[in-house]
Amino acid sequence: MRRIAFFIFCFLTLTTALCEAVEVELWPRTVFQLQQLRDVDRLKIDKTRFTQYLTLNLYEKSDAPNHLFFSSLRVDADLGRDNSPDASPDPLRYQSFALMYAYYEWRRIGDLVDLTVGRQILTDELGMAAMDGLKLSIHRSWHVGLELYSGFEVKGALNADSKGFELPNSDTFEPDGLTGDDRLTGVFGAAIFLHGIENTQARLHYRHRYSGETDGYNLGLSFRQRIFGFWDLYTTDDFNLFTERFNQLNVGARFDFDWISFSLDHATRFPNFDADSIFNLFDIHGEKELAARFYVRPDRRTHLNLGYSRIVQANDFPLFDSWGREGNAGNFADLGLTRNIGQSTEIRAGYRMGMGWGGDQHRFRLGAGTAVWNRRIRLDGDWMGTYYEKLLYTDILEGARNKGFSMGVRVQSDFRLVEEVSLKLMGDVYSNDLIERQFAFFAVLDVHAWQ
């Protein structure tokens, strides 16, 4: 795999150097993470993680290019130590190489078809999915388009909650197989969508995954309608045809004026398993959320955000038919304020409250940021604190009557000394009365060049 990727990279680089009709985008990105934290047993975990991305994109030199190539490679290693009993004695075994994506696009074939071939990441109503295969998009001036794709699934999950620093996460994004499933998984899909209609967007999507061990049948819908220029109605849904219930159902409305906006959203989320999973035989509860959001801008320098949501453990009925009861529901509220001072400085404050299922927490944040040296350097700092009580994890908190206070400081600096190069440094330290001080440091170097 490494030799193939290296050969492809060298071949494309040589071809580009000889072809004056191609514009090259080269984007190496280096991420370094240094962390020290404690697990639930107060055992020390050291992370020294190095991640190198290399993005290479090729564009036909044209006002409307027809031929494009996109690719990204990643090398990831963690040399830290974990004192937990189940930790691996050899952290180097978890270093990984991944071809994140590499695909060729041929646009407007016969002014009708867009063709995409290679490793690509599908982002749609059914979430994110990586596939090695072919995708066709057919659309013209008919206001209706058709998308067809077929290939093999790149095993692993794309999960924003995983430990990886960025998406896709190297913890889960592993090409060419999962433990316990060594079969190729075919991915087939089709979607019909509206095209070129100004105030209406709609898309109906079917996806089938099949290997004999990993199966899935899903139907997705997304819809957005703008009314009177300020009112949006929208929904994004994922219906599992095997279990005959929604994996995800989101319905909402948004009113957006010049200085104020308001949104009301209802979401239902259920766990999603393969069609042959034993968990489909059990009554698995998900959650429902009803959320309201305000955004207010009384003047050009002041921004205010307000939000409230209630989350309830869900049953099989998708609508928010019950407010829940004590023990299976939680209330959350947040407040954020940002004030710009001059052309390059801002001060900010935030508060978030959570009460109910899982315990009670009150979080606050005070911070400021400013840009100096003709805005080539930006400095930011935040002081954060959390008061908590009645948490679920009471084994650690028994001696403190299941309550406590933690605080921390985060500082960040961004440097852009030249247009193509940027460096970000970020560190945070936090502690409380029960677990000794923990810290994290991040460094991200971007070199973004065009030729």
Side-chain angles (χ1 to χ4, degrees):
M1 181 67 183
R2 297 184 182 183
R3 294 181 178 178
I4 295 175
F6 180 75
F7 174 79
I8 294 174
F9 173 76
C10 294
F11 174 79
L12 292 172
T13 303
L14 179 61
T15 302
T16 301
L18 300 176
C19 183
E20 296 182 355
V22 174
E23 187 174 10
V24 182
E25 181 184 15
L26 187 62
W27 190 354
R29 193 176 205 205
T30 306
V31 180
F32 174 75
Q33 305 172 54
L34 182 66
Q35 295 179 271
Q36 186 178 95
L37 53 104
R38 299 295 188 273
D39 64 9
V40 293
D41 297 317
R42 307 189 194 184
L43 296 175
K44 185 171 67 173
I45 299 174
D46 293 324
K47 287 184 173 293
T48 306
R49 186 171 178 179
F50 173 84
T51 308
Q52 178 65 60
Y53 298 88
L54 179 60
T55 298
L56 173 66
N57 300 328
L58 308 178
Y59 305 86
E60 178 187 18
K61 286 187 176 179
S62 170
D63 294 335
N66 294 95
H67 303 280
L68 308 96
F69 177 81
F70 302 92
S71 66
S72 180
L73 311 174
R74 184 194 58 217
V75 178
D76 184 85
D78 189 347
L79 307 180
R81 296 194 305 272
D82 187 343
N83 295 319
S84 302
D86 57 349
S88 170
D90 182 16
L92 276 176
R93 64 181 293 191
Y94 291 102
Q95 62 180 333
S96 62
F97 169 85
L99 177 62
M100 310 298 291
Y101 56 84
Y103 59 93
Y104 162 72
E105 281 191 22
W106 186 1
R107 298 178 178 175
R108 293 179 293 278
I109 304 175
D111 196 26
L112 178 65
V113 178
D114 293 341
L115 169 68
T116 306
V117 181
R119 173 161 297 178
Q120 50 199 291
I121 299 176
L122 306 174
T123 305
D124 48 46
E125 303 79 10
L126 304 179
M128 301 177 69
M131 176 191 74
D132 290 336
L134 179 147
K135 181 176 70 174
L136 292 174
S137 296
I138 305 172
H139 53 85
R140 205 171 183 180
S141 57
W142 307 324
H143 297 306
V144 176
L146 178 66
E147 182 178 282
L148 303 170
Y149 60 85
S150 177
F152 294 99
E153 181 183 30
V154 179
K155 298 299 179 65
L158 296 163
N159 185 357
D161 296 326
S162 295
K163 295 180 294 184
F165 186 67
E166 296 185 353
L167 289 175
N169 304 297
S170 59
D171 304 82
T172 55
F173 189 89
E174 298 178 357
D176 307 323
L178 276 177
T179 302
D181 185 357
D182 55 358
R183 302 187 184 185
L184 288 175
T185 299
V187 182
F188 316 95
I192 185 170
F193 56 91
L194 296 182
H195 176 68
I197 301 178
E198 182 178 359
N199 294 318
T200 305
Q201 300 174 11
R203 176 181 160 98
L204 183 64
H205 178 199
Y206 171 78
R207 179 183 295 165
H208 180 198
R209 297 165 54 250
Y210 178 77
S211 71
E213 292 186 3
T214 304
D215 308 309
Y217 312 88
N218 295 85
L219 189 66
L221 171 68
S222 63
F223 173 80
R224 178 178 292 269
Q225 177 66 55
R226 169 150 285 200
I227 305 172
F228 305 131
F230 63 85
W231 181 14
D232 286 332
L233 300 174
Y234 48 85
T235 183
T236 303
D237 310 316
D238 175 1
F239 187 78
N240 192 320
L241 294 171
F242 179 80
T243 60
E244 297 183 349
R245 72 179 183 190
F246 286 94
N247 293 332
Q248 172 182 280
L249 185 147
N250 296 298
V251 180
R254 179 181 175 88
F255 301 86
D256 194 352
F257 301 96
D258 184 42
W259 62 278
I260 186 172
S261 65
F262 167 74
S263 64
L264 183 65
D265 293 271
H266 169 271
T268 298
R269 295 177 288 267
F270 284 95
N272 184 24
F273 305 103
D274 293 331
D276 61 346
S277 173
I278 190 174
F279 290 103
N280 288 315
L281 302 177
F282 300 95
D283 187 13
I284 303 295
H285 292 285
E287 65 180 21
K288 302 175 185 178
E289 180 179 9
L290 190 64
R293 297 282 185 270
F294 287 93
Y295 171 76
V296 183
R297 190 179 65 178
D299 57 58
R300 297 181 59 185
R301 297 180 179 273
T302 306
H303 304 265
L304 178 65
N305 296 283
L306 299 167
Y308 168 80
S309 63
R310 182 172 177 85
I311 298 179
V312 178
Q313 283 186 304
N315 53 28
D316 289 333
F317 194 68
L319 300 180
F320 206 103
D321 57 319
S322 171
W323 283 96
R325 60 185 184 277
E326 188 69 22
N328 78 331
N331 296 285
F332 302 88
D334 58 86
L335 169 66
L337 176 65
T338 302
R339 173 71 178 179
N340 295 322
I341 302 174
Q343 298 296 321
S344 57
T345 302
E346 72 172 31
I347 57 175
R348 51 185 176 264
Y351 167 76
R352 179 171 175 81
M353 175 271 291
M355 303 186 70
W357 187 85
D360 298 344
Q361 299 183 47
H362 301 269
R363 301 175 180 268
F364 64 86
R365 175 175 60 92
L366 298 173
T370 186
V372 298
W373 197 14
N374 198 24
R375 300 189 181 183
R376 294 184 179 182
I377 299 177
R378 180 168 179 85
L379 306 174
D380 286 274
D382 291 275
W383 180 53
M384 301 165 289
T386 302
Y387 173 77
Y388 49 87
E389 62 178 342
K390 295 187 291 188
L391 299 183
L392 289 179
Y393 300 101
T394 58
D395 52 341
I396 296 178
L397 303 174
E398 285 180 354
R401 294 180 298 177
N402 196 12
K403 64 174 58 178
F405 180 79
S406 64
M407 59 177 295
V409 177
R410 172 175 293 176
V411 293
Q412 179 176 315
S413 55
D414 297 89
F415 304 88
R416 186 175 290 276
L417 305 183
V418 295
E419 185 64 28
E420 296 83 6
V421 182
S422 66
L423 174 65
K424 175 184 293 185
L425 303 175
M426 183 174 66
D428 60 64
V429 180
Y430 56 98
S431 64
N432 58 43
D433 296 334
L434 304 171
I435 299 178
E436 60 186 283
R437 184 177 298 110
Q438 307 179 62
F439 70 86
F441 172 78
F442 303 90
V444 181
L445 176 63
D446 270 317
V447 181
H448 196 177
W450 291 80
Q451 181 177 353

